[in-house]
Amino acid sequence: MSDMNTTLPKWLEGRRYCTIKDLMRLFGVSRATIDRWCRENESFPSKHKFGNPFNENCSTRFSVSEVKAYISKVEQNQVD
């Protein structure tokens, strides 16, 4: 990862994964916007699925370290 001097809010620090709702709160956007960023922006952190997607017991999470790296890129204007 590049520059890791980016600070995250206290409610997100120390966590390994975060939810879509966490990202909505962090960026101040809707769920539809997060979904669109996932589809259209290759630099945006990728979704990680946990559980069994075949019986609908699957949850989506994002790696906090990937989110932090993405924010760092955005702050440095290096997003594709």
Side-chain angles (χ1 to χ4, degrees):
M1 270 180 263
S2 59
D3 182 27
M4 293 304 288
N5 292 330
T6 302
T7 57
L8 294 173
K10 287 186 179 186
W11 53 267
L12 194 54
E13 280 183 13
R15 291 170 54 184
R16 189 170 178 192
Y17 293 99
C18 63
T19 64
I20 290 176
K21 286 185 179 183
D22 292 332
L23 293 185
M24 291 167 51
R25 179 179 174 194
L26 179 66
F27 294 115
V29 297
S30 68
R31 182 184 180 110
T33 300
I34 297 294
D35 289 337
R36 182 171 34 88
W37 288 350
C38 287
R39 283 191 318 270
E40 297 176 0
N41 185 348
E42 293 179 12
S43 299
F44 196 76
S46 56
K47 293 179 179 181
H48 300 277
K49 299 284 188 172
F50 293 95
N52 185 350
F54 300 107
N55 68 3
E56 298 180 10
N57 281 337
C58 186
S59 57
T60 300
R61 298 289 185 264
F62 295 84
S63 169
V64 172
S65 60
E66 290 178 15
V67 171
K68 192 171 184 177
Y70 175 76
I71 292 170
S72 179
K73 280 183 171 182
V74 169
E75 288 175 347
Q76 296 174 11
N77 295 321
Q78 294 180 355
V79 175
D80 300 329

